[in-house]
């Protein structure tokens, strides 16, 4: 199969590099009902049952020997009017984007429980600032959560749903304005892989203070110039990588990153740059075509013959070949170099396995015309 340039065209697969935006936001349906002024055990049981239905356990402090210690009650004076007022206040915070300092009252399998006046909000673990997990990577998220009980965190209300009793909070978004103002497109960061998904990897960015304050996404198409079928083959949780900022969406609080754009685009390279230098001799493993001694890669000869049938092509010749030290793909891959033509000759590179061949195209067509002709040929070639 020949690959040129992500749509499928006949038997030819085109590998484009499209960057899709993805978000990773966890909205957990935790229903918490603050106890009233009454010390009725049924009210407390109702609270605990609802909390347990979310994750199976809720922890506050270090004593988990009984249900009485699962969640401290700090709203003994709160009744329906007070709760309604606090829900209105939470909605106002959500709309304005203002932050507040909330005390961590406990945690469960999915996140932290944080006091907001008479209400208890939920902060999913992915919405903690990455500096917490990166600072002590050997600790589990639950061990980190345990150390946060009793402390106050700057948080932002991201969802205030009174009807369904959902009050979702985020520390990450609360700190976004402070640190994002120091990030610009083109900035290069050292980062740590936080999580790997099918569509890409989330990278925590290290700032000058040595802490990781923000997280960005490297889409699968931006991991490498080589074809990446599974991001997990290239990146793993905890890996340290260098990334460049390619986009900042301040409205959605998202940073888009790239790893491959810190390397040269293969489309700009000649065969000398594509072929890695031999460590012993210091020279590329290249051979020139002195006559017709270079055997075309499997399938390439047919493609070149078809190219000569296209209008505007004068001559097509395999000029040089070499061998890489890595195998990118066993399939035949073609790409047109963006280097300026020399004496009216454009350079087409073909790769299969470790073998790379440089083809000189003598044509009256411009670069765009050559690409269109190649696409027509690849449609015809089985």
């Amino acid at each position: 199969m020949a690959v040129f340039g992500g749509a499928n065209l006949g038997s030819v697969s085109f590998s484009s590099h499209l960057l899709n935006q993805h978000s990773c936001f966890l909205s957990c349906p935790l229903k918490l009902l603050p106890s009233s002024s009454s010390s009725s055990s049924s009210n407390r049981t109702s609270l605990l049952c609802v909390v347990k239905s979310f994750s199976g356990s809720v922890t506050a402090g270090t004593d988990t020997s009984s249900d009485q210690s699962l969640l401290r009650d700090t709203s003994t004076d709160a009744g329906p009017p007070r709760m309604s007022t606090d829900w209105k206040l939470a909605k106002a915070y959500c709309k304005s984007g203002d932050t507040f300092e909330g005390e961590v009252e406990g945690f469960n399998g999915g996140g932290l429980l944080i006091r907001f006046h008479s209400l208890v909000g939920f902060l999913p673990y992915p919405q903690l600032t990455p500096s917490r997990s990166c600072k002590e990577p050997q600790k589990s998220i639950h061990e980190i959560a345990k150390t946060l009980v009793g402390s106050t965190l700057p948080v932002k209300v991201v969802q205030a749903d009174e009807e369904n009793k959902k009050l979702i909070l985020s520390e990450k978004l609360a700190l976004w304005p402070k640190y994002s103002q120091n990030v610009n497109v083109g900035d290069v960061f050292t980062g740590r892989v936080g999580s790997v998904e099918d569509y890409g990897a989330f990278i925590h960015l290290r700032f000058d203070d040595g802490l990781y304050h923000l997280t960005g996404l490297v889409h699968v198409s931006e991991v490498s110039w080589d074809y990446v079928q599974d991001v997990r083959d290239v990146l793993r949780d905890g890996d340290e990588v260098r990334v460049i900022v390619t986009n900042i969406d301040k409205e959605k609080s998202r940073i888009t990153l790239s790893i491959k754009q810190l390397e040269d685009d293969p489309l700009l390279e000649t065969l000398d740059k594509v072929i890695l230098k031999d460590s012993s001799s210091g020279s590329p493993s290249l051979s020139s075509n002195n006559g017709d001694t270079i055997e075309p890669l499997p399938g390439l000869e047919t493609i070149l013959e078809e190219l000569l049938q296209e209008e505007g092509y004068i001559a097509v010749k395999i000029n040089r070949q070499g061998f890489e030290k890595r195998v990118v793909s066993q399939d035949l891959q073609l790409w047109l170099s963006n280097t300026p033509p020399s004496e009216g000759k454009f350079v087409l590179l073909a790769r299969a396995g470790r073998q790379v061949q440089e083809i000189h195209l003598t044509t009256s067509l411009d670069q765009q015309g050559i690409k269109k002709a190649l696409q027509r040929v690849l449609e015809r070639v089985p």
Side-chain angles (χ1 to χ4, degrees):
M1 179 185 293
V3 181
F4 178 70
N8 288 327
L9 198 54
S11 62
V12 181
S13 173
F14 289 80
S15 55
S16 64
H17 304 294
L18 300 178
L19 183 63
N20 296 325
Q21 300 267 349
H22 290 270
S23 62
C24 180
F25 176 68
L26 176 63
S27 178
C28 303
L30 176 65
K31 299 181 179 180
L32 293 175
L33 305 176
S35 59
S36 66
S37 58
S38 169
S39 60
S40 168
S41 60
S42 61
N43 286 340
R44 178 170 292 277
T45 301
S46 173
L47 169 63
L48 295 175
C49 287
V50 173
V51 172
K52 285 184 177 181
S53 70
F54 175 74
S55 66
S57 64
V58 176
T59 305
T62 58
D63 181 11
T64 58
S65 59
S66 69
D67 280 353
Q68 297 302 316
S69 65
L70 290 180
L71 187 66
R72 297 199 307 272
D73 183 2
T74 59
S75 57
T76 55
D77 296 329
R82 167 74 182 275
M83 291 176 60
S84 179
T85 299
D86 290 343
W87 274 112
K88 291 179 181 178
L89 183 60
K91 292 175 183 177
Y93 268 95
C94 186
K95 184 177 181 179
S96 67
D98 292 340
T99 62
F100 72 94
E101 298 286 329
E103 182 180 355
V104 180
E105 296 208 338
F107 63 93
N108 59 28
L112 304 179
L113 309 178
I114 297 181
R115 172 62 59 182
F116 180 85
H117 299 283
S118 65
L119 309 175
V120 178
F122 180 70
L123 191 150
Y125 289 132
Q127 292 303 313
L128 279 170
T129 173
S131 63
R132 300 193 183 279
S133 58
C134 291
K135 187 176 182 180
E136 299 178 289
Q138 74 281 1
K139 286 189 176 182
S140 69
I141 190 64
H142 296 102
E143 289 175 317
I144 294 172
K146 189 175 181 179
T147 64
L148 294 175
V149 174
S151 64
T152 58
L153 306 182
V155 294
K156 183 177 180 179
V157 178
V158 295
Q159 184 179 6
D161 185 346
E162 181 177 6
E163 182 179 354
N164 295 301
K165 300 297 185 289
K166 290 183 183 179
L167 181 57
I168 310 299
L169 310 172
S170 172
E171 181 189 33
K172 183 185 293 186
L173 293 179
L175 296 175
W176 163 268
K178 178 180 178 179
Y179 293 103
S180 64
Q181 64 181 348
N182 299 318
V183 180
N184 299 292
V185 172
D187 287 352
V188 176
F189 283 85
T190 296
R192 180 178 294 173
V193 178
S195 62
V196 181
E197 308 295 339
D198 291 340
Y199 51 82
F202 288 94
I203 311 295
H204 304 319
L205 305 180
R206 189 171 72 197
F207 283 69
D208 291 339
D209 60 3
L211 298 179
Y212 300 79
H213 295 293
L214 298 178
T215 302
L217 173 66
V218 176
H219 188 261
V220 59
S221 64
E222 291 296 311
V223 172
S224 172
W225 289 111
D226 298 334
Y227 172 67
V228 176
Q229 185 172 5
D230 189 340
V231 186
R232 297 168 186 84
D233 293 337
V234 183
L235 299 174
R236 296 181 181 179
D237 292 2
D239 284 354
E240 187 171 288
V241 295
R242 290 179 72 248
V243 293
I244 185 170
V245 178
T246 59
N247 187 58
I248 303 172
D249 188 333
K250 295 191 175 182
E251 184 177 340
K252 295 182 178 180
S253 303
R254 296 176 184 171
I255 297 176
T256 305
L257 307 168
S258 175
I259 296 175
K260 75 177 188 181
Q261 291 189 32
L262 288 173
E263 303 173 356
D264 289 335
D265 184 344
L267 296 178
L268 300 174
E269 299 192 9
T270 63
L271 188 61
D272 302 274
K273 293 183 179 180
V274 172
I275 303 298
L276 300 179
K277 289 190 175 182
D278 183 85
S279 58
S280 59
S281 65
S283 60
S285 304
L286 296 174
S287 61
S288 298
N289 189 348
N290 299 317
D292 296 317
T293 58
I294 297 179
E295 177 102 11
L297 291 169
L300 179 60
E301 186 174 10
T302 303
I303 292 173
L304 297 184
E305 289 174 353
E306 288 292 325
L307 265 181
L308 284 172
Q309 305 304 314
E310 290 286 322
E311 185 178 350
Y313 279 86
I314 301 169
V316 176
K317 180 183 178 181
I318 300 176
N319 185 56
R320 295 186 299 170
Q321 73 172 352
F323 295 85
E324 298 182 280
K325 292 184 177 180
R326 61 177 180 173
V327 175
V328 177
S329 174
Q330 296 292 352
D331 296 330
L332 176 63
Q333 296 179 323
L334 302 173
W335 69 89
L336 184 65
S337 174
N338 284 337
T339 54
S342 176
E343 299 178 355
K345 296 177 181 178
F346 288 84
V347 175
L348 179 69
L349 295 175
R351 169 198 279 155
R354 292 178 55 243
Q355 194 171 358
V356 181
Q357 294 181 346
E358 179 185 76
I359 302 103
H360 282 180
L361 307 177
T362 305
T363 174
S364 60
L365 301 176
D366 59 13
Q367 198 169 64
Q368 193 61 33
I370 295 173
K371 290 180 180 179
K372 290 180 179 179
L374 278 168
Q375 289 175 347
R376 289 194 297 269
V377 168
L378 293 175
E379 287 177 348
R380 299 198 300 266
V381 174

